């Protein structure tokens, strides 16, 4: 098992002992360009089950086939994915009462959003491994593991204009694209990240921004259910730009 996965499991074991005498089930959400049955994801799930006997583990998939699951990581809107996974988990008696969440890379952002939006009774740990919590500004490096070159398509769409209506509606990575040189455009046009990070603003009749008007109390209350929020940054990360986004 790789060092990164070993670190993750150590964190999870400590959190599991600290939070509850009853072991909670675990969900694992893969990253960009991967799928729920990928070798690393599957191996991680197996090791969790070995190290915490009796633990139910679910690797999140948003489509039936591996190819479609990979495609979803680029082109299925994040809001749609979060709603789909939330409904699926809440309808499952194994998961609806409480979970631990692990997210790898892009999946780290998704599990944090899931914790904010999905009304679980309890949440043990939310562990983000290299998740872009404050977004990305720079085309992520990725490798295609299927016959279709989705990385190339992503690159071209982001180059076309990350905040254009078409790209926002069709590209996952654009929905957490955070351009610090276009902060107002980001807050207004970016469909996902400003909402989940409570960055939406409104302007009153005097022209002053009133951020407090758009704070979502449900997000806050749901996140307060989390016993432990663990954000891990890879010191040598070459995928996310900037890598400091992983710890914010």
């Amino acid at each position: 098992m790789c060092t990164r996965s070993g670190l993750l499991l150590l964190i999870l074991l400590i959190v599991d002992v600290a939070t509850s005498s009853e072991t909670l089930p675990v969900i694992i959400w893969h990253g960009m360009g991967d799928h729920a049955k990928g070798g690393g994801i599957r191996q991680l799930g197996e090791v969790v089950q070995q190290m915490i006997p009796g633990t139910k583990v679910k690797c999140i998939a948003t489509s039936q086939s591996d190819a479609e699951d990979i495609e979803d990581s680029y082109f299925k809107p994040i809001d749609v994915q979060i709603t789909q996974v939330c409904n699926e988990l809440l309808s499952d008696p194994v998961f609806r009462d409480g979970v631990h969440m692990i997210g790898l890379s892009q999946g780290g952002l998704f599990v944090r959003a899931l914790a904010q939006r999905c009304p679980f009774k309890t949440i043990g740990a939310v562990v983000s491994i290299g998740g872009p919590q404050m977004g990305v500004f720079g085309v992520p490096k990725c490798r295609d593991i299927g016959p279709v070159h989705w990385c190339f398509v992503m690159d071209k769409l982001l180059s076309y204009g990350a905040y254009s209506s078409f790209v926002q509606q069709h590209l996952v990575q654009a929905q957490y694209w955070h351009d610090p040189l276009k902060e107002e455009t980001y807050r207004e046009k970016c469909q996902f990240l400003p909402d989940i990070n409570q960055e939406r603003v409104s302007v009153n009749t005097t022209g002053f921004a009133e951020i407090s008007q758009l704070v979502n109390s449900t997000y806050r209350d749901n996140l307060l259910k989390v016993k432990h929020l663990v954000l891990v940054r890879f010191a040598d990360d070459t995928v996310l730009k900037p890598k400091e986004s992983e710890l914010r």
Side-chain angles (χ1 to χ4, degrees):
M1 197 66 185
C2 68
T3 301
R4 292 176 176 180
S5 296
L7 172 62
L8 172 58
L9 288 170
L10 177 60
I11 293 170
L12 184 60
L13 280 169
I14 294 172
V15 168
D16 188 74
V17 171
T19 56
S20 172
S21 59
E22 180 181 359
T23 301
L24 294 173
V26 176
I27 66 166
I28 303 174
W29 205 324
H30 63 79
M32 176 184 70
D34 204 353
H35 57 87
K37 298 177 185 176
I41 298 296
R42 185 177 64 252
Q43 185 181 21
L44 176 57
E46 291 171 352
V47 175
V48 169
Q49 291 174 319
Q50 292 171 7
M51 298 186 71
I52 313 177
T55 300
K56 175 70 174 179
V57 176
K58 181 180 182 67
C59 297
I60 297 299
T62 53
S63 285
Q64 294 296 320
S65 73
D66 296 346
E68 290 176 326
D69 201 17
I70 293 172
E71 183 177 341
D72 287 351
S73 75
Y74 294 107
F75 303 117
K76 178 176 280 190
I78 305 174
D79 289 336
V80 174
Q81 294 191 52
I82 298 296
T83 299
Q84 175 186 337
V85 172
C86 176
N87 290 339
E88 181 179 330
L89 294 173
L90 291 181
S91 66
D92 188 329
V94 174
F95 294 93
R96 65 188 177 200
D97 290 334
V99 292
H100 289 305
M101 303 181 186
I102 302 171
L104 305 180
S105 191
Q106 176 175 277
L109 175 60
F110 291 4
V111 293
R112 196 255 295 180
L114 183 66
Q116 289 178 240
R117 289 183 175 176
C118 200
F120 295 104
K121 291 182 179 179
T122 185
I123 303 174
V126 175
V127 182
S128 168
I129 305 298
Q133 302 300 330
M134 290 299 292
V136 295
F137 183 53
V139 177
K141 294 181 180 179
C142 68
R143 60 183 180 87
D144 290 305
I145 61 176
V148 182
H149 297 290
W150 293 128
C151 289
F152 174 80
V153 176
M154 176 194 68
D155 189 2
K156 291 301 181 183
L157 285 173
L158 287 173
S159 298
Y160 171 76
Y163 296 134
S164 69
S165 177
F166 176 83
V167 175
Q168 280 293 311
Q169 291 174 14
H170 293 90
L171 184 65
V172 165
Q173 289 69 36
Q175 294 173 4
Y176 57 84
W177 184 267
H178 192 164
D179 186 341
L181 304 178
K182 299 179 180 178
E183 195 69 25
E184 291 185 9
T185 302
Y186 155 74
R187 292 175 186 266
E188 179 184 354
K189 302 292 186 181
C190 191
Q191 290 188 2
F192 174 76
L193 192 65
D195 175 71
I196 208 68
N197 280 357
Q198 305 275 37
E199 296 175 301
R200 298 290 190 199
V201 299
S202 63
V203 179
N204 63 20
T205 55
T206 63
F208 292 101
E210 294 186 348
I211 298 176
S212 61
Q213 288 187 356
L214 297 181
V215 169
N216 189 319
S217 60
T218 298
Y219 291 176
R220 178 195 60 207
D221 294 343
N222 283 340
L223 200 56
L224 287 173
K225 297 177 185 177
V226 177
K227 301 297 191 301
H228 294 270
L229 177 63
V230 182
L231 306 179
V232 178
R233 188 188 80 185
F234 295 139
D236 58 348
D237 199 328
T238 60
V239 176
L240 292 184
K241 299 178 182 179
K243 63 184 179 183
E244 288 76 15
S245 176
E246 300 168 12
L247 292 180
R248 299 298 176 89

